[in-house]
Amino acid sequence: MLLIPLLRPLNIQGGGIHLVGDSSSGKSLAQLLAASVWSAPERFAGSWDVTPGGLEIDAASRNDTVLILDEIKRANAKRVQEMAYSLANGVGRSTMTRERESRARLTWRVLTLSSGERSLAEHAAIAGDTAHAGAELRMVDVDAGRRAFKAFDDTHGMDGATFHKRLGDRLHEHHGHLGRAFVQRLVQEGDHEGLKARRDAIRAEFPDHHPQAGRVADRFTAIALAVEVAIGWGLLPWQAGTGLASCRRLYGEWLASFGRMGAEDRQILTGLQDFLQVHGDSRMSDIRSAGIADVRNRAGYYEFVPGDSGETNRLALLHSKALAEAAPGFSLKRIVQALVEFDILRVAGDGRNMTKRYRLPAGGTGRFYVIDTERLQTAIEQAA
């Protein structure tokens, strides 16, 4: 966690890494190791079991170091995504004194190292809150349970229990040295332009195919830079390139799970697919049917047409309220934008009108958003 003193000189915003894995996988040990860079780990490490206001105080007190938050399941599920935003943005809320005078807002710039048995989005879902793409990008998940040795890639010839005990003993005996030495050397060198040049060279090693992936690549780039600088200064007894290789591997794992489309587009399309799978038969009926189907809380209709693959394709005809229901948290305009971008929405005529008019089985007409389910499936598969 040597990255943090580099955030300000390199003008890098804060953010977080969230270690996800089963209990007893070594996540907490990894966090204590990170805390030991700066201070006694048992005093320096924190917890998600805190109010939003308390979290701001903790973040400000760890300014330019690292904020350790253990066990996300202890966080308020309704507010955890809001708290992730706050940590990354680095600015607290405006508050007032008893005399109704404005207090100075707390500010900070930290990297958060979080842990839990579930991801940020999974924890928020417990409270019925849909995943916010911005929060997921500010606190990115790292697999810390299915590596070669659960949270670790190498135990250096020791069995897991011995490795865990030896590290635990050492970090309580020796802590707070590396962070101070790194800051002292950083001040002595004062070569911010040289650091920026090295950052740019390392950044080229992290491919990205989307601006959102680029933001996460910037974070792993900065972490790799800090490790490589510390190795070069003789503060870490590792081979040059160790930090870069490790960060590239972690970023590659995250990128594979993120997929090839933006987080918001992915949430919209997968939400729509889930909606159609759950409600496609119970809340929809064939618009070409001669009879009047008894459908409660109707979401729309469906129509069978030849598909792009030559097989029969089922089009979903959704009214606007149902389409908005399929992707909660997004405006109807944003949902339609995603469907048009991936050529999933079949539009009428010259494409100016996003809906098509159909004659209804019971008489009269209605306008619907026409979803090509075959193209929806293809878009999701290609983005994976």
Side-chain angles (χ1 to χ4, degrees):
M1 289 293 106
L2 292 172
L3 153 70
I4 297 86
L6 297 179
L7 293 178
R8 201 170 301 276
L10 296 181
N11 193 30
I12 299 171
Q13 295 301 311
I17 303 293
H18 181 60
L19 306 178
V20 184
D22 294 339
S23 61
S24 301
S25 62
K27 303 185 302 296
S28 295
L29 177 60
Q31 289 180 295
L32 291 175
L33 286 168
S36 72
V37 170
W38 298 103
S39 184
E42 65 275 7
R43 296 198 305 268
F44 196 80
S47 168
W48 275 106
D49 187 14
V50 64
T51 65
L55 187 66
E56 292 179 5
I57 294 173
D58 287 348
S61 70
R62 302 294 189 270
N63 190 41
D64 284 334
T65 58
V66 62
L67 178 63
I68 306 294
L69 296 176
D70 191 29
E71 286 301 343
I72 199 170
K73 67 183 179 183
R74 302 175 69 181
N76 185 328
K78 291 184 178 180
R79 309 195 69 174
V80 67
Q81 296 192 96
E82 171 193 336
M83 294 162 80
Y85 270 106
S86 176
L87 288 173
N89 293 341
V91 179
R93 294 182 175 183
S94 296
T95 58
M96 301 185 72
T97 66
R98 291 182 179 180
E99 292 74 26
R100 302 185 66 80
E101 295 179 353
S102 178
R103 288 193 180 97
R105 291 198 296 180
L106 295 174
T107 60
W108 58 85
R109 193 178 304 216
V110 299
L111 182 75
T112 303
L113 184 61
S114 169
S115 71
E117 296 171 28
R118 58 177 75 106
S119 69
L120 180 75
E122 290 170 342
H123 187 61
I126 294 175
D129 194 8
T130 56
H132 300 170
E136 288 185 294
L137 292 170
R138 285 165 173 80
M139 190 77 70
V140 299
D141 295 335
V142 165
D143 181 4
R146 293 176 296 175
R147 316 198 73 79
F149 300 93
K150 295 187 177 181
F152 294 88
D153 292 312
D154 189 356
T155 58
H156 303 279
M158 292 175 273
D159 61 74
T162 303
F163 178 74
H164 192 287
K165 185 178 187 306
R166 184 167 297 182
L167 278 183
D169 291 343
R170 294 296 185 270
L171 66 87
H172 287 292
E173 294 172 3
H174 302 285
H175 49 258
H177 311 311
L178 183 56
R180 290 182 176 87
F182 187 84
V183 171
Q184 289 174 356
R185 187 64 182 268
L186 184 64
V187 172
Q188 291 172 2
E189 296 289 334
D191 184 15
H192 293 175
E193 293 305 315
L195 287 173
K196 290 178 181 178
R198 289 195 66 181
R199 175 201 59 192
D200 294 342
I202 291 176
R203 178 63 176 82
E205 300 288 331
F206 291 81
D208 65 81
H209 47 68
H210 192 279
Q212 292 178 338
R215 288 167 53 186
V216 177
D218 290 342
R219 194 173 312 156
F220 280 105
T221 294
I223 296 172
L225 171 64
V227 175
E228 294 302 323
V229 167
I231 293 172
W233 287 343
L235 301 178
L236 287 173
W238 300 342
Q239 290 185 346
T242 300
L244 175 58
S246 297
C247 287
R248 285 190 63 188
R249 181 168 62 253
L250 293 176
Y251 172 70
E253 292 172 1
W254 174 84
L255 191 62
S257 65
F258 179 74
R260 294 183 173 274
M261 67 172 64
E264 293 90 350
D265 291 329
R266 184 179 68 254
Q267 290 175 10
I268 289 171
L269 299 192
T270 55
L272 177 57
Q273 184 182 57
D274 292 343
F275 180 87
L276 293 175
Q277 289 175 346
V278 173
H279 302 294
D281 292 323
S282 61
R283 295 176 58 187
M284 302 170 69
S285 61
D286 190 345
I287 200 165
R288 303 300 181 189
S289 175
I292 301 176
D294 182 17
V295 176
R296 297 183 180 181
N297 192 21
R298 181 180 289 279
Y301 295 86
Y302 53 79
E303 178 185 23
F304 293 101
V305 299
D308 297 335
S309 64
E311 301 291 332
T312 300
N313 183 18
R314 175 166 158 163
L315 303 181
L317 319 178
L318 299 180
H319 56 66
S320 58
K321 186 176 180 180
L323 185 58
E325 181 186 347
F330 295 95
S331 68
L332 185 62
K333 180 179 179 180
R334 180 64 182 87
I335 297 170
V336 171
Q337 177 186 339
L339 297 177
V340 170
E341 180 178 350
F342 291 93
D343 197 25
I344 295 168
L345 188 68
R346 292 199 174 191
V347 298
D350 57 7
R352 293 181 180 179
N353 199 325
M354 296 294 104
T355 59
K356 294 178 69 174
R357 185 179 297 278
Y358 280 81
R359 185 170 298 279
L360 303 178
T365 62
R367 300 197 71 92
F368 300 93
Y369 291 96
V370 182
I371 312 300
D372 189 314
T373 59
E374 184 179 274
R375 295 179 186 175
L376 174 63
Q377 177 68 27
T378 299
I380 293 174
E381 290 176 350
Q382 290 180 346

